[in-house]
Amino acid sequence: MQPSQSMIWDGQGPVMIGRYDPVLGRPDTGYLVDLYRIGCGTSSLTTSLSVDRSSIKESCSGQRLTLKNYITGKSLEVGLTMVQFSGRTLAGAFFGDAVAKAAGTVTAEVLPALQPGDYFTMRHPGATSLVIEDSTAGTPLVYVQDTHYVAEDATHGRYRLLAHPAGHVEPLRADYAYGEYTNIAAFTAPNVERGIIFNGVNGDGQRARIIIPRISLSLDGDFGWITDEAAELSLKGEALFVSEMQSDADYGGFMRISLM
């Protein structure tokens, strides 16, 4: 695209998210590593520029008119909204990491004190081969499924106590196996920085590539776990200065826009 050409942008295209690492990354791709592509259900990617200005008043006319207006600061806010996303993206929205938990087994997990009708869950979802025993010395009492408890949703690890065997001794303990799953410990990271690469094309075939190496992203607004429509995950944050690239003519220490 020549500088004199006009452009109407109605574009769309894939967005990739990565992690800024000035040691392992390379300047050609904004020092981004661990890049992965988010789903095709991205509804918007926006950038909003804010310019802070101050002024100098003249002293000749007696009216204190503006003599000079100068810029004191600039900031760029990036917004990304999607309905298809991975656990890594969701984890970043809640200031955490998506950790893959390998399948394993649990022995003697202590359950809370229960009354008939109470619900209880296992620490790990997807429990199989569940064995629940009380604390009777010598030979513990074994709880029988569908007699003493019922598995309402074993995948989520949700159970309901029906009855205790006579003379049971607290606490109850559970042995079980579980399958692999992804765990997100929310709010365990003080700050979440990510970078994005957007490969866009509009209706006229005009192509653009945008690279923003550092963005302090967080959840913007609500995320609906129960909705009548597809829940949108919206991330928003300020683009941050990249000191390692301040002398790079293509990036200018902030972001890069390439039109093709």
Side-chain angles (χ1 to χ4, degrees), residues 32-228:
L32 293 178
V33 298
D34 298 335
L35 276 167
Y36 67 94
R37 178 176 168 174
I38 64 175
C40 293
T42 303
S43 56
S44 70
L45 172 63
T46 60
T47 55
S48 302
L49 178 64
S50 297
V51 180
D52 298 325
R53 300 178 184 271
S54 188
S55 59
I56 299 174
K57 301 298 181 179
E58 54 83 25
S59 59
C60 296
S61 69
Q63 299 184 61
R64 303 296 293 174
L65 301 176
T66 298
L67 176 66
K68 181 177 179 58
N69 187 275
Y70 62 94
I71 295 174
T72 60
K74 302 172 187 175
S75 62
L76 184 73
E77 190 172 64
V78 181
L80 179 63
T81 302
M82 65 208 89
V83 293
Q84 185 182 23
F85 45 87
S86 67
R88 283 187 289 182
T89 307
L90 183 65
F94 286 91
F95 290 88
D97 290 314
V99 178
K101 294 285 190 178
T105 59
V106 174
T107 302
E109 180 176 312
V110 178
L111 302 182
L114 299 170
Q115 298 296 327
D118 288 351
Y119 285 87
F120 60 97
T121 62
M122 301 296 110
R123 178 180 178 84
H124 303 279
T128 60
S129 305
L130 177 63
V131 177
I132 299 176
E133 298 178 336
D134 79 339
S135 294
T136 299
T139 304
L141 300 176
V142 178
Y143 282 61
V144 179
Q145 185 172 342
D146 297 327
T147 298
H148 299 112
Y149 71 94
V150 62
E152 289 201 347
D153 190 336
T155 301
H156 287 95
R158 187 178 75 246
Y159 302 86
R160 183 166 57 90
L161 181 70
L162 299 177
H164 288 293
H168 84 283
V169 178
E170 297 284 347
L172 307 184
R173 291 179 170 84
D175 300 341
Y176 60 94
Y178 60 90
E180 61 181 16
Y181 65 97
T182 298
N183 191 81
I184 299 173
F187 305 109
T188 53
N191 188 33
V192 176
E193 282 190 16
R194 295 291 185 268
I196 64 168
I197 298 179
F198 169 58
N199 298 318
V201 57
N202 70 1
D204 291 331
Q206 175 67 60
R207 295 182 179 275
R209 185 181 70 178
I210 298 173
I211 302 178
I212 307 177
R214 295 181 63 210
I215 311 170
S216 182
L217 284 175
S218 61
L219 183 66
D220 179 42
D222 300 327
F223 178 72
W225 295 97
I226 299 178
T227 67
D228 291 333

